Amino acid sequence: MNQRMTGRILALVLALCLLGACGKRGAALPPPEALAEELLAAAKGPEMSAMPPAYLQEVTGISPEDYESAVYLLPSGDTAPDELILIRCRDRAAADKVREKLEARLAAKAEAAEYYLTEQQPVIRAGAVRTDGFTVSLLVSGDMAALQAVYDKYR
């Protein structure tokens, strides 16, 4: 009887430990401005310049009403295909809408590369749109592994 009770207690403790491990989460992503700094520091690539919100809206159709903060970076004086768009949305519906628009942006970028600057196609094809909570990102870089490593820190 004691062995049976001890076995049950051990099974219960083990189950609680496993449940506790499932609940662990990494730190939340920082705001887009801080995340952009980390990404730029991690990735090897061209020097990037911040674009104004009006240009983000013009290029993607994403309205300022859909987000709390955003960073849009393009290469400074370079024809590299690199592009970083980091957007912290107001809610889930806005994040879904922004994701659709960023996916369309990435598809348009890939389509343009089919006819112009075809040597950039591998970098653009390796690009990604990701959603992490209410943060939606478009990442195009020759150093995608470094960008992914930054995001992995927050898992």
Side-chain angles (χ1 to χ4, degrees):
M1 194 83 133
N2 282 341
Q3 288 180 343
R4 181 179 269 174
M5 184 62 104
T6 303
R8 287 181 182 168
I9 290 173
L10 286 176
L12 180 60
V13 169
L14 179 60
L16 289 173
C17 289
L18 289 174
L19 285 174
C22 291
K24 289 186 181 179
R25 291 184 172 216
L29 282 178
E33 298 78 11
L35 181 58
E37 287 180 26
E38 283 188 58
L39 293 170
L40 291 174
K44 299 175 192 89
E47 186 175 328
M48 305 287 273
S49 294
M51 299 292 110
Y55 191 68
L56 173 64
Q57 186 171 6
E58 181 181 325
V59 170
T60 64
I62 297 169
S63 172
E65 293 82 37
D66 291 329
Y67 60 85
E68 294 175 1
S69 61
V71 173
Y72 184 17
L73 300 168
L74 289 173
S76 307
D78 194 344
T79 60
D82 297 48
E83 184 171 9
L84 299 176
I85 302 176
L86 313 169
I87 300 175
R88 175 76 47 92
C89 298
R90 298 190 186 287
D91 55 34
R92 174 61 48 210
D96 292 342
K97 189 165 124 180
V98 165
R99 182 177 179 90
E100 285 179 24
K101 291 185 178 187
L102 291 183
E103 287 172 344
R105 170 68 184 151
L106 184 57
K109 190 174 185 82
E111 184 178 332
E114 288 181 26
Y115 306 106
Y116 309 103
L117 303 169
T118 56
E119 68 277 3
Q120 295 178 352
Q121 285 180 335
V123 173
I124 295 169
R125 283 189 196 127
V129 175
R130 56 179 297 142
T131 302
D132 301 275
F134 292 163
T135 300
V136 185
S137 308
L138 178 139
L139 308 169
V140 177
S141 173
D143 197 0
M144 287 296 288
L147 299 183
Q148 185 62 43
V150 171
Y151 281 88
D152 287 347
K153 292 186 335 184
Y154 297 102
R155 284 192 174 183

